Amino acid sequence: MSKAYDPVEWCFLEEMMIRLGFAPAWVEKIMRCVSSVRYSFSLNGELVVNISPNRGLRKGDPLSPYFFVLCAHGLSSALISLENRRLLSGVRIASSCPPISHLFFADDSLLFFRATLEDCMMVRNCLELYERASGQLINFEKSSLSFSSNTNEQVCDQIKSALAIPSSAGIQGWGNKFFSAGGKETLIKSVLQAIPTYAMSYFRIPKSICEEIERECANFWWGKEEGRRRLHWKKWRDLCKPKCQGVWRIITKPGSLVARVLKARSLLEKGLCWKVGDGSKIPTFGEHWIPGTRDCVSPPPESEHFARVSTLLDRESWNEPLIHNLFPPHLVKDILAIPLSQSQKEDFRFWSYDPKGKYSVSDGYKVAIGFFDSPPSCSSNHSIEWWRFIWSLSIPPKHTHRYSIGGVIRNHEGQPVLVFRNKTEKPSSVLYAELLAILKRLNMFSTHNLRLHHISSDSLLTLQEVLLEEENFSYAGALTLDIRRLLALQGSPTLSHAWRSANCVAYAIASFASSSHSPFV
């Protein structure tokens, strides 16, 4: 878009809000905010000329980006209408994927259509209609066309002529001899490597295109001299090592466009894990649903009767005898440790490499380079020798699979009436162990019809997880939902944080938890 905010017609914005179902009173208030803008000019230190515009959105106004998105929705609706009437064909990357005719990102747009003059004219007419209605203008000088390799050259020329889009000179016109090494690095990181990022977040880019992008970056880095490229003194792969080596809306919104596109290509399978609700959607064998292991379980001979995880449940708990018969001993404990939430019965998948189960580009990159499989910090000979030295020290045995928690239950006068301690085998995190201990005590209070007035904990992270209603798709999030449900049944008792120094009794009880088999004293 050319000057995205300035030319927006107010009448178009108002009509878009009405068509989208906004209440008339709300639309009226919004239009008052939009139309109340006034502009003045400073001349010799004095404000002169008060101008009242009749179109445009204010730059810097926090509402303006939302108004712009509403306007862009008009163009999106027009393109979808052409698709529904089969006047325009989008692109499919696989037969099971939905067609895509457009993708919008801020004021940049990607339009996909068949390389035919008919589709080209439909797109051009749609853009002209949007320009007349909204007041916005398409910046054809900054636009570019890209064709598939099997497109006829004559057809390419016809489409270029019809859309009046000039050919792009690419990075050859940047004049890299005027840039320092730091300037080249900034341009490569901020521009060249950023351009394909949006497309790569949706599509698996062919290896040939990735190699071509790397080739262009390398040629720009090393420069050209009189039309000939200079000698490349180092492999591009070595230059691009991460510095640490010297160097999922998608999952929670399975009906979204990007989720449906990625589902057909199975791009995120390596880092995904099923969270067990009722188990009806999860295959027992061949899928990753057991925390603590990345391997899919091979089915035993009698597995045809237990195709879904739901068959392993006995009402609202695990069927322990059945699990002992079907799975090897090292997996039985892991399965029985999976909490079955009373508040969340739906099966869904979460990102197993994040404490809150949310996917991030950073984690995706680490999975791609095998960071979680073999940490790069331990790859060098120096690091290996260092870890050998650490583990050979004469210190108490290393305990990595047990976590102990202690607590005190007091009456209304503050006098202790019961102390408890819990041992959790192989907790996925400290947060998980703390939440599990609170949930067990709340269940105890609910079972015996006891009233709870106040909870105090020295784990600030645990209290924040319960009090701040942030999305957590991991098993810790399921425990949090159950805790909130039980707190509501208790009449919403207060929660507070206590420093470790003020919680020494519970800390001492936790320290001695491993020496006793009884949870209560």
Side-chain angles (χ1 to χ4, degrees):
M1 296 296 176
S2 179
K3 296 182 179 180
Y5 285 0
D6 294 340
V8 174
E9 296 287 353
W10 292 346
C11 57
F12 178 76
L13 174 61
E14 182 178 10
E15 188 63 26
M16 280 298 303
M17 288 192 289
I18 293 174
R19 291 294 182 93
L20 290 173
F22 288 90
W26 171 261
V27 174
E28 183 182 355
K29 290 180 180 179
I30 291 295
M31 294 311 300
R32 285 181 184 175
C33 295
V34 172
S35 59
S36 62
V37 62
R38 300 290 183 271
Y39 295 108
S40 299
F41 298 93
S42 178
L43 181 62
N44 295 329
E46 295 183 3
L47 293 178
V48 295
V49 187
N50 193 11
I51 297 178
S52 300
N54 55 17
R55 67 178 182 178
L57 303 175
R58 281 179 281 191
K59 295 180 180 177
D61 189 327
L63 291 177
S64 293
Y66 299 99
F67 297 152
F68 180 81
V69 170
L70 290 177
C71 293
H73 188 75
L75 176 58
S76 176
S77 299
L79 292 170
I80 292 175
S81 176
L82 291 176
E83 270 194 282
N84 293 337
R85 290 183 288 163
R86 297 186 177 180
L87 299 176
L88 183 67
S89 298
V91 172
R92 296 176 185 266
I93 65 171
S95 58
S96 59
C97 288
I100 301 174
S101 62
H102 59 283
L103 295 171
F104 292 162
F105 181 74
D107 59 345
D108 294 326
S109 308
L110 290 173
L111 304 183
F112 306 93
F113 56 90
R114 288 182 304 180
T116 63
L117 197 56
E118 291 78 10
D119 275 31
C120 172
M121 296 309 298
M122 282 294 172
V123 170
R124 179 171 180 174
N125 293 338
C126 184
L127 293 176
E128 290 177 350
L129 175 63
Y130 178 69
E131 287 181 335
R132 291 194 301 269
S134 67
Q136 292 183 308
L137 299 174
I138 310 298
N139 192 338
F140 287 102
E141 292 183 357
K142 292 185 178 180
S143 302
S144 62
L145 284 168
S146 179
F147 298 91
S148 59
S149 58
N150 61 345
T151 306
N152 185 279
E153 189 173 343
Q154 184 178 359
V155 174
C156 295
D157 293 337
Q158 290 176 348
I159 293 177
K160 287 181 181 179
S161 176
L163 294 177
I165 295 179
S167 300
S168 176
I171 65 174
Q172 288 77 14
W174 281 13
N176 53 39
K177 65 180 180 180
F178 300 109
F179 292 107
S180 64
K184 290 180 181 180
E185 179 185 356
T186 300
L187 278 173
I188 289 174
K189 289 182 176 179
S190 303
V191 180
L192 288 179
Q193 292 181 342
I195 289 174
T197 300
Y198 184 69
M200 293 174 75
S201 65
Y202 288 90
F203 308 110
R204 187 192 293 271
I205 304 297
K207 187 176 180 180
S208 58
I209 294 180
C210 294
E211 291 174 348
E212 186 175 347
I213 293 174
E214 289 186 353
R215 192 181 304 115
E216 291 292 333
C217 291
N219 289 337
F220 176 73
W221 173 258
W222 296 109
K224 291 185 178 181
E225 204 170 55
E226 297 179 357
R228 301 176 60 185
R229 72 171 193 168
R230 292 179 179 176
L231 182 64
H232 293 199
W233 293 99
K234 193 74 173 176
K235 290 181 180 180
W236 187 251
R237 184 178 300 173
D238 294 335
L239 291 177
C240 294
K241 283 185 178 180
K243 290 183 178 179
C244 65
Q245 291 185 359
V247 218
W248 154 2
R249 179 178 172 86
I250 296 175
I251 307 307
T252 59
K253 306 290 182 183
S256 63
L257 174 63
V258 62
R260 287 183 286 151
V261 170
L262 288 178
K263 184 179 179 180
R265 304 303 296 266
S266 302
L267 298 181
L268 301 177
E269 293 296 325
K270 191 172 182 180
L272 298 180
C273 177
W274 279 101
K275 185 208 162 292
V276 180
D278 59 10
S280 59
K281 296 181 181 179
I282 309 174
T284 304
F285 306 99
E287 287 281 352
H288 176 218
W289 59 274
I290 305 175
T293 175
R294 299 300 313 170
D295 300 325
C296 297
V297 183
S298 301
E302 65 275 15
S303 63
E304 65 273 7
H305 301 296
F306 311 104
R308 298 285 169 180
V309 173
S310 56
T311 59
L312 306 179
L313 302 179
D314 183 10
R315 296 183 179 178
E316 296 182 351
S317 61
W318 293 104
N319 189 332
E320 293 192 28
L322 177 61
I323 292 173
H324 279 280
N325 290 333
L326 289 178
F327 295 93
H330 70 279
L331 291 179
V332 171
K333 283 188 176 181
D334 292 337
I335 296 175
L336 296 180
I338 298 175
L340 298 176
S341 175
Q342 304 299 313
S343 305
Q344 202 171 55
K345 294 296 186 180
E346 183 181 359
D347 300 322
F348 62 85
R349 304 173 86 182
F350 65 93
W351 186 250
S352 59
Y353 293 114
D354 180 74
K356 292 187 177 293
K358 297 180 181 179
Y359 172 81
S360 67
V361 176
S362 173
D363 281 347
Y365 173 71
K366 290 177 181 178
V367 170
I369 65 173
F371 179 84
F372 296 107
D373 300 328
S374 55
S377 59
C378 302
S379 59
S380 65
N381 292 332
H382 176 74
S383 297
I384 292 173
E385 293 299 323
W386 171 252
W387 283 110
R388 285 176 180 171
F389 168 74
I390 291 293
W391 286 99
S392 64
L393 292 176
S394 179
I395 57 178
K398 298 87 179 175
H399 297 284
T400 58
H401 299 299
R402 179 170 295 173
Y403 191 82
S404 302
I405 291 179
V408 182
I409 298 176
R410 303 177 184 271
N411 60 19
H412 64 284
E413 296 179 349
Q415 300 297 323
V417 295
L418 185 71
V419 298
F420 63 87
R421 47 198 173 189
N422 287 101
K423 291 178 290 185
T424 303
E425 299 290 337
K426 296 185 67 174
S428 57
S429 65
V430 174
L431 174 63
Y432 178 91
E434 295 273 0
L435 290 171
L436 186 60
I438 293 177
L439 180 61
K440 286 182 177 180
R441 300 289 75 78
L442 287 174
N443 278 323
M444 182 193 74
F445 270 75
S446 297
T447 303
H448 295 85
N449 294 321
L450 299 175
R451 175 63 73 183
L452 182 64
H453 297 281
H454 180 76
I455 297 177
S456 179
S457 172
D458 59 13
S459 174
L460 183 60
L461 181 64
T462 303
L463 295 176
Q464 290 174 341
E465 178 70 21
V466 175
L467 293 174
L468 302 179
E469 296 188 1
E470 296 181 355
E471 286 186 315
N472 189 330
F473 304 109
S474 67
Y475 279 108
L479 296 179
T480 303
L481 292 177
D482 285 344
I483 289 173
R484 290 174 184 160
R485 178 181 62 84
L486 292 175
L487 287 176
L489 294 176
Q490 285 283 339
S492 300
T494 57
L495 285 80
S496 66
H497 175 250
W499 296 104
R500 177 66 58 83
S501 57
N503 202 29
C504 55
V505 176
Y507 180 69
I509 295 170
S511 301
F512 289 101
S514 59
S515 62
S516 174
H517 299 288
S518 173
F520 300 106
V521 178

